[in-house]
Amino acid sequence: MRAFILLIISLVPLFTSAQTEEKLGNPLAEISLQNLDLISFDTKDQLFASTISGDIYLFSADGKQVNLFSPARQGRLNQLEAAWTVNIFSFSSDLQEYRILDRFLNPLAEKGFFLADINLAKAATLGNNNMVWVWDESDLNLKLLDFRRNQIIQSQPLNLILESNDLSVTEIREFKNRLFMNVPQTGVFIFDNQGNLMRKIQVKGINKLCYYNEHLLWIADNKLVAISLTSNETKTLAELESPGGIYLQIGQERLAVVFKDKVNLYTTPDWIKVLN
């Protein structure tokens, strides 16, 4: 009996180590930026970062500043997207306008929403085929805008569909022909490419949507957490060495964690790449 107890005790460290969470390790680079707000990777792992005044910085995959765009009209951005192969998309609810730039941060289009019958855009994202999805809080409609013709293609009222009195939408993003709507107090709603509700993910408190290999990832209690969109399994992936992480974004071979006034840049670890 005594030998059996000693065997169990000797195995405890093995079980403990097997359950130990992964670590991100030391960052590849640390980018300091006063009044940092939003970040986004492009397809070459270049990092675009905006400040609360709407300036957009471009950093290389190694964290070195490459370019800067400072708009004539200053305003905080609600959306910054660089994952499309050609263009950079930004949207400001304060200014009620969106802007499309090329890879060198040269403006290609800058438009407001008023002429397109959108009265209070609170969230917007670039979709396929030159379309812009817009959440119009004035009538609680999800609208699809052809920005080249400045014309609403379709409009979907959501107050009845979602059966919720509190639609405090903070962000919408299109991933693989699906539209994700983040309502931190309620969860994440997923629509098809026609704006039809598919399902709801019961996860609250996500600061910024981060999609990778059919998973949503976010930071909670200083830990990196993921939920599978196929199985609904939620798992803790890693504990952050540095406290104060707000949200993360993942590129091709880079992962970035946003803190107040800085970004820690990492090589995407293998234990994230194997998510499926």
Side-chain angles (χ1 to χ4, degrees):
M1 183 67 180
R2 183 172 179 273
F4 177 75
I5 293 175
L6 289 175
L7 176 63
I8 295 298
I9 293 174
S10 68
L11 289 176
V12 168
L14 295 179
F15 288 120
T16 302
S17 63
Q19 296 173 356
T20 301
E21 295 160 2
E22 300 285 358
K23 300 289 186 180
L24 285 174
N26 295 323
L28 178 69
E30 183 178 295
I31 301 171
S32 297
L33 189 61
Q34 285 291 322
N35 299 317
L36 172 67
D37 196 11
L38 304 179
I39 66 167
S40 181
F41 284 106
D42 70 5
T43 55
K44 297 181 179 179
D45 280 332
Q46 295 185 115
L47 184 70
F48 294 77
S50 70
T51 64
I52 59 175
S53 61
D55 293 334
I56 300 176
Y57 290 79
L58 171 59
F59 297 91
S60 70
D62 296 326
K64 299 177 181 177
Q65 184 178 335
V66 177
N67 207 346
L68 166 64
F69 169 74
S70 186
R73 294 185 65 203
Q74 298 281 303
R76 187 172 192 172
L77 300 182
N78 298 79
Q79 194 86 342
L80 178 64
E81 298 177 15
W84 296 91
T85 57
V86 179
N87 297 324
I88 313 300
F89 176 85
S90 69
F91 157 70
S92 171
S93 178
D94 291 342
L95 299 178
Q96 285 295 293
E97 68 179 25
Y98 62 95
R99 182 181 291 111
I100 297 175
L101 307 100
D102 66 17
R103 291 291 160 185
F104 305 101
L105 293 179
N106 299 309
L108 301 176
E110 184 175 319
K111 296 183 179 181
F113 289 106
F114 298 113
L115 296 178
D117 194 29
I118 297 173
N119 298 313
L120 185 57
K122 297 298 287 186
T125 185
L126 187 63
N128 285 312
N129 302 319
N130 300 315
M131 300 295 175
V132 176
W133 289 101
V134 183
W135 167 246
D136 189 347
E137 199 173 76
S138 68
D139 56 11
L140 302 181
N141 273 238
L142 178 63
K143 299 177 179 180
L144 187 59
L145 169 68
D146 183 336
F147 77 84
R148 290 188 174 178
R149 294 188 291 166
N150 210 38
Q151 181 178 354
I152 299 294
I153 303 300
Q154 65 182 50
S155 185
Q156 182 80 284
L158 296 187
N159 56 327
L160 298 179
I161 295 175
L162 303 185
E163 298 181 350
S164 174
N165 294 323
D166 183 14
L167 290 179
S168 299
V169 178
T170 61
E171 182 185 13
I172 54 178
R173 289 284 302 275
E174 184 175 307
F175 301 110
K176 291 188 176 180
N177 290 319
R178 289 165 294 174
L179 186 70
F180 291 69
M181 175 180 282
N182 189 13
V183 186
Q185 297 88 346
T186 302
V188 178
F189 298 90
I190 304 177
F191 302 83
D192 65 18
N193 56 8
Q194 299 299 315
N196 301 307
L197 180 63
M198 298 173 61
R199 57 184 294 211
K200 176 185 176 182
I201 303 295
Q202 301 285 351
V203 175
K204 300 180 181 180
I206 295 180
N207 285 325
K208 291 293 177 184
L209 293 171
C210 177
Y211 173 94
Y212 189 82
N213 283 0
E214 288 301 313
H215 286 73
L216 289 179
L217 295 91
W218 70 99
I219 294 173
D221 298 325
N222 210 50
K223 294 184 178 181
L224 183 55
V225 186
I227 183 170
S228 169
L229 299 178
T230 55
S231 68
N232 284 330
E233 178 188 3
T234 301
K235 64 177 81 173
T236 299
L237 301 178
E239 183 170 0
L240 302 182
E241 288 89 339
S242 301
I246 302 170
Y247 68 92
L248 79 154
Q249 292 291 290
I250 301 178
Q252 305 298 313
E253 298 291 336
R254 293 289 183 268
L255 180 150
V257 177
V258 174
F259 299 83
K260 178 178 172 56
D261 294 333
K262 77 170 184 176
V263 179
N264 279 358
L265 192 62
Y266 302 86
T267 299
T268 304
D270 291 336
W271 43 266
I272 283 185
K273 293 181 180 179
V274 297
L275 289 175
N276 52 42

